[in-house]
Amino acid sequence: MTNRKADTDEQDKPIRLAEHMAFSRSFQTLFNDGMALVDETAVYLDGPGRTEAKALSRQAATLYAAESMRLTTRLMQIASWLLLQRAANQGDMSRAQVEAEKSKVRLESVGSGQDSHYFTELPVDFRDLVDKVIKLERRIAMLDREIYGTVPEAAEPPSNPVAEQLSLLKTAFRG
């Protein structure tokens, strides 16, 4: 005899589209886009960005340096989230393990220098990268809230974000 109450309860639950997307094949597109943006940013910062930064005023160069750090921090957070989600999708980690590890990921916690009047002096390609990364970060943060029910924290920044990111990456690649 089946439990009709449990079957009815399961059917009555709303479908969470973000969760469905994050655990479906369409997640691969988001993953690929995020990792491509990591690569694109690294190539820019190591090549044309380095050259373009040398031509900036002292104030704009300072903003460029600060914004570059924010950019790479955002990308490390995004990559960590994507790798954790992929590990969950592939069955390498349970949802509980992902939730425990993703508590170290801070989405939307890094400020931006876009309000500075020197921001318009920064190279166009750099500003475009900043814009793309912020939009991707917001999209992932929205997915994260929808899937895991998290609320953006106004907590203290991690004491050593690089070490935490390395720990996340090690966890994601354990097999």
Side-chain angles (χ1 to χ4, degrees):
M1 187 173 199
T2 61
N3 185 346
R4 288 186 174 210
K5 171 100 173 103
D7 291 343
T8 304
D9 288 347
E10 193 64 34
Q11 290 173 353
D12 291 343
K13 286 185 179 179
I15 297 171
R16 297 173 73 186
L17 294 178
E19 186 168 3
H20 177 73
M21 180 276 196
F23 286 95
S24 71
R25 285 189 185 153
S26 63
F27 170 76
Q28 191 61 42
T29 303
L30 177 63
F31 182 86
N32 291 344
D33 290 348
M35 292 308 187
L37 193 51
V38 169
D39 289 340
E40 178 184 352
T41 302
V43 167
Y44 174 81
L45 291 175
D46 286 341
R50 193 174 301 236
T51 305
E52 292 172 346
K54 291 177 182 174
L56 297 172
S57 70
R58 190 172 54 154
Q59 295 87 352
T62 302
L63 179 60
Y64 179 89
E67 204 60 30
S68 294
M69 297 280 285
R70 289 182 187 117
L71 189 61
T72 54
T73 300
R74 274 191 178 90
L75 286 168
M76 287 173 57
Q77 300 295 323
I78 288 169
S80 295
W81 190 92
L82 290 169
L83 288 167
L84 285 169
Q85 191 61 45
R86 183 177 73 173
N89 293 356
Q90 294 176 345
D92 296 334
M93 294 177 76
S94 69
R95 182 177 171 130
Q97 288 172 312
V98 170
E99 286 185 26
E101 287 300 319
K102 77 168 213 63
S103 68
K104 300 173 189 171
V105 175
R106 304 275 187 253
L107 298 169
E108 297 183 308
S109 65
V110 178
S112 173
Q114 290 177 309
D115 294 336
S116 168
H117 67 277
Y118 294 109
F119 193 79
T120 57
E121 290 182 34
L122 300 180
V124 173
D125 290 342
F126 181 77
R127 288 182 285 155
D128 288 345
L129 281 172
V130 169
D131 188 52
K132 284 184 204 177
V133 171
I134 289 173
K135 285 178 181 174
L136 180 62
E137 179 187 42
R138 287 179 183 154
R139 180 177 173 200
I140 288 173
M142 188 171 29
L143 275 173
D144 186 72
R145 286 189 297 272
E146 180 68 26
I147 296 166
Y148 300 102
T150 57
V151 178
E153 294 182 25
E156 294 287 321
S159 59
N160 187 343
V162 173
E164 287 192 24
Q165 292 309 306
L166 289 173
S167 173
L168 282 171
L169 291 171
K170 285 179 188 174
T171 301
F173 284 109
R174 272 190 207 140

